[in-house]
Amino acid sequence: MTAISAPAAPAAPSLALGRTGTATVLLLPIAIINTIGFILPVLNLARMSFNEALTGGGVREAFTLANWAGLFADSFYVELILNSITVSLGITLATLVVSYPIALYLHRSSGRWRTVLTVLVISPLLTSAVVRTYGWIALLSEQGPIASSIAAVGLTPPRLMFNTTGVVIGLTEILMPYMILSLLAGFGRLDPRVEEAAMTLGAPPAKTFWRVILPLTLPGIALGCLLCFVLAVSSFITPKLLGGGRVFLLATEIYDQAIVTLNWPLAATLSMLVLIIFGAALAAYARVLRAIE
Amino acid sequence: MEANEISVPMKILVALLFLFLLAPVILVVPISFSGEQILSFPPESWSLRWYAALADNPKIISAFWTSLVLGAVVTVISLAVAIPAAYVIVRMRTFGSAFLYNLFTAPLLLPTIVLGLAILIVFASMGFLGTFTGLVIGHLVITLPYALRVLATTLGNLNLACEEAASTLGGRPITVFRRVTLPMMAPGIVAATALCFLVSFDEVVITLFLTGPRLTTLPVELFHHVESRADPLVASVSVLLILLTLAVVMIVDRTVGLSRTFVK
């Protein structure tokens, strides 16, 4: 908690209310909003996953494990869960591969050049995911530059959109800034002198990379992968638009169950499942970090 | 041979990866000047017809105004609520400051798809769905953690001596806060303002659950548009949105410096 590290407090406002009273009054607005918009909804969501769904969008107050049991009994949902995890792992790996060289380059560059490139890395974060996904639709569609280039050399272009390929390409790019920033944050221990030492001692570049650079940057890799995995599992806009309703993932299914089918108990159960996957990812991350140390 | 010298193949690889990263954002600019009926690249003819179509689209214009007013209201409330909260948590350090700080920033840990559904279910029973009040509260849930984080950091980094000097010289706490602490917090307040506005203006997943047929925001309207048809209209909106974001970022850069706001 470095963010709030003030030493002794100066004289606090001592109105008629007294110190604790003043603090309570000042905290009341944020506490009310947090309760209405966060605590109540999340508790209610957990509760909803044990309710009974009636046909036609009704909900009956109950305490049943039917939603949970239903998920694991229905092969559609088992596949959906496994597919979400596999696709998210694939996206995480792809994002790592395309982000690592940029992060390494940024780490080694300096001065004005470094600032310009860092702004370029951050700038997509300031652009709406809808806009960036729309850009990918333009790039990957049948009239797009990639398909027409492939057709121009006489080959049949593969389907790049409305399938998992499109979702993976789009999300990889969307998650790159997060990965690059996480990698950079973890590159602190990477000292150019260590690389020089390895090369002076006769290690070829490839060996220097695998034996020196990569191990030193593992903490950054673990952090970036954790972040990208959880963001991929829960991302909705890009899979929905680039998947065109043909790619079934946890997040898109939560939305469909909540808005289209109106099966709130099932949507709530799927949401709790996303949180469980988050917890598992976090536990795996903690374990990896301990192994690195 | 120096180890940190960057080789030519590496430079080419990095340039290509940057192209991949920036391609979808760069591409919307030429597409917005397309003269075609459907989304294609490169367009066979050029025109301003999609900017004109934008001016004639009442749904998008009204969604834009909703987003703008919503962003402004959410930003003002976020500051009014988060400044006192940051003050109590950092300066007064009463009962469980660390716990409260974690609790109030916790919404950022939840995926927006889960938070959106959770809010939808509770707001449905409160009659908040499709209302402006509902949108304001929904957005506050995610702007407040950002505002609190930025403001608490700013407050924690301030030089306490100035405030102590002011109160030693007889300033009442409220006067010290107004005349000394608040002005010193100005850079953090500017950063929090920009961040809250951009987060609210851009928020789409939670908003998607809360909007109704009569009340919608610009990102949600764009989402539904992209979902239903492929034409260059969204490109022209995107270009205007990118310009708006650039303007906000430049204002922040001029007043407090970009690196202190977004990079660190």
Side-chain angles (χ1 to χ4, degrees):
Chain A
M1 186 106 333
T2 49
I4 49 169
S5 55
S14 52
L15 307 171
L17 291 159
R19 201 178 137 82
T20 312
T22 310
T24 310
V25 169
L26 293 179
L27 285 177
L28 209 55
I30 200 169
I32 292 172
I33 293 166
N34 193 268
T35 307
I36 297 179
F38 176 64
I39 298 174
L40 272 181
V42 171
L43 291 178
N44 192 60
L45 189 73
R47 173 74 189 87
M48 180 61 83
S49 71
F50 299 105
N51 274 339
E52 193 182 331
L54 304 175
T55 43
V59 175
R60 182 157 59 208
E61 291 285 324
F63 199 86
T64 167
L65 288 170
N67 303 309
W68 289 90
L71 277 192
F72 297 103
D74 188 333
S75 64
F76 172 78
Y77 285 106
V78 174
E79 205 166 301
L80 174 88
I81 295 162
L82 293 177
N83 194 37
S84 288
I85 294 173
T86 321
V87 169
S88 300
L89 285 174
I91 290 166
T92 305
L93 188 67
T95 312
L96 175 65
V97 170
V98 292
S99 302
Y100 197 90
I102 291 187
L104 202 59
Y105 190 86
L106 274 175
H107 182 73
R108 288 176 179 178
S109 53
S110 58
R112 181 120 196 98
W113 192 228
R114 188 192 164 111
T115 313
V116 170
L117 291 180
T118 310
V119 170
L120 281 185
V121 166
I122 296 169
S123 57
L125 281 182
L126 296 173
T127 315
S128 160
V130 179
V131 170
R132 287 164 76 195
T133 305
Y134 175 79
W136 277 113
I137 292 175
L139 272 160
L140 300 175
S141 71
E142 278 169 40
Q143 293 82 27
I146 299 173
S148 43
S149 312
I150 295 173
V153 289
L155 299 168
T156 320
R159 263 199 95 80
L160 297 166
M161 218 169 77
F162 297 149
N163 56 20
T164 308
T165 313
V167 175
V168 171
I169 295 175
L171 262 184
T172 297
E173 187 270 341
I174 300 253
L175 296 178
M176 270 174 89
Y178 298 100
M179 179 65 92
I180 295 170
L181 294 178
S182 306
L183 288 173
L184 272 178
F187 277 8
R189 293 197 295 183
L190 186 62
D191 189 328
R193 282 172 302 181
V194 181
E195 293 167 55
E196 272 175 51
M199 290 177 124
T200 314
L201 292 170
K207 199 164 185 180
T208 310
F209 177 77
W210 287 107
R211 300 287 296 274
V212 179
I213 301 180
L214 200 63
L216 280 174
T217 55
L218 277 180
I221 294 176
L223 178 65
C225 287
L226 169 76
L227 193 61
C228 285
F229 177 75
V230 298
L231 287 172
V233 166
S234 57
S235 66
F236 166 70
I237 297 296
T238 307
K240 186 77 181 166
L241 293 178
L242 275 171
R246 265 162 259 182
V247 178
F248 296 97
L249 297 171
L250 272 169
T252 53
E253 191 63 19
I254 290 172
Y255 179 81
D256 288 344
Q257 289 297 338
I259 300 294
V260 185
T261 321
L262 292 175
N263 188 338
W264 287 357
L266 183 57
T269 311
L270 291 167
S271 298
M272 299 316 286
L273 198 67
V274 169
L275 294 185
I276 292 170
I277 295 174
F278 266 46
L282 212 60
Y285 170 73
R287 190 166 270 214
V288 167
L289 264 198
R290 234 178 300 134
I292 296 170
E293 291 308 323
Chain B
M1 179 182 168
E2 270 199 43
N4 52 351
E5 186 139 320
I6 297 157
S7 63
V8 175
M10 173 79 170
K11 280 183 181 165
I12 295 170
L13 176 68
V14 169
L16 287 174
L17 292 175
F18 260 109
L19 189 66
F20 176 71
L21 174 65
L22 300 172
V25 181
I26 296 171
L27 203 72
V28 297
V29 181
I31 289 178
S32 74
F33 296 105
S34 166
E36 306 301 308
Q37 187 63 40
I38 57 153
L39 182 60
S40 64
F41 185 86
E44 278 168 30
S45 58
W46 304 92
S47 79
L48 287 172
R49 63 181 280 196
W50 292 104
Y51 286 93
L54 200 56
D56 286 338
N57 192 318
K59 264 178 109 175
I60 289 197
I61 290 175
S62 110
F64 170 77
W65 284 114
T66 306
S67 284
L68 207 64
V69 174
L70 181 65
V73 170
V74 166
T75 304
V76 169
I77 299 178
S78 297
L79 290 174
V81 170
I83 292 176
Y87 186 83
V88 173
I89 288 173
V90 180
R91 281 287 185 266
M92 296 177 69
R93 295 179 75 80
T94 46
F95 44 84
S97 293
F99 169 76
L100 287 175
Y101 180 80
N102 287 336
L103 177 68
F104 295 147
T105 50
L108 291 186
L109 300 176
L110 276 196
T112 47
I113 187 91
V114 174
L115 200 53
L117 173 69
I119 296 176
L120 162 81
I121 293 173
V122 165
F123 279 20
S125 60
M126 290 176 162
F128 277 163
L129 290 189
T131 67
F132 193 75
T133 316
L135 285 181
V136 170
I137 301 174
H139 280 208
L140 282 174
V141 173
I142 47 160
T143 56
L144 278 175
Y146 284 112
L148 185 63
R149 211 191 252 180
V150 172
L151 294 169
T153 310
T154 312
L155 209 48
N157 291 338
L158 288 187
N159 188 354
L160 260 182
C162 297
E163 288 163 72
E164 280 165 348
S167 50
T168 313
L169 291 170
R172 295 189 324 129
I174 188 82
T175 317
V176 174
F177 178 77
R178 201 167 47 85
R179 301 281 296 273
V180 181
T181 316
L182 208 53
M184 289 203 300
M185 282 175 75
I189 293 174
V190 174
T193 305
L195 203 56
C196 286
F197 183 79
L198 290 178
V199 165
S200 165
F201 199 89
D202 231 18
E203 164 50 42
V204 50
V205 179
I206 294 175
T207 319
L208 211 60
F209 284 103
L210 302 180
T211 47
R214 269 168 299 163
L215 183 71
T216 178
T217 67
L218 189 58
V220 168
E221 186 57 35
L222 292 184
F223 173 81
H224 287 312
H225 192 95
V226 177
E227 201 180 25
S228 56
R229 75 204 90 137
D231 62 32
L233 183 73
V234 174
S236 52
V237 188
S238 303
V239 169
L240 298 179
L241 279 183
I242 292 167
L243 292 177
L244 180 78
T245 311
L246 270 180
V248 172
V249 170
M250 266 161 77
I251 292 169
V252 174
D253 190 33
R254 284 288 159 84
T255 37
V256 286
L258 195 61
S259 56
R260 280 164 56 182
T261 310
F262 293 108
V263 181
K264 262 195 114 177

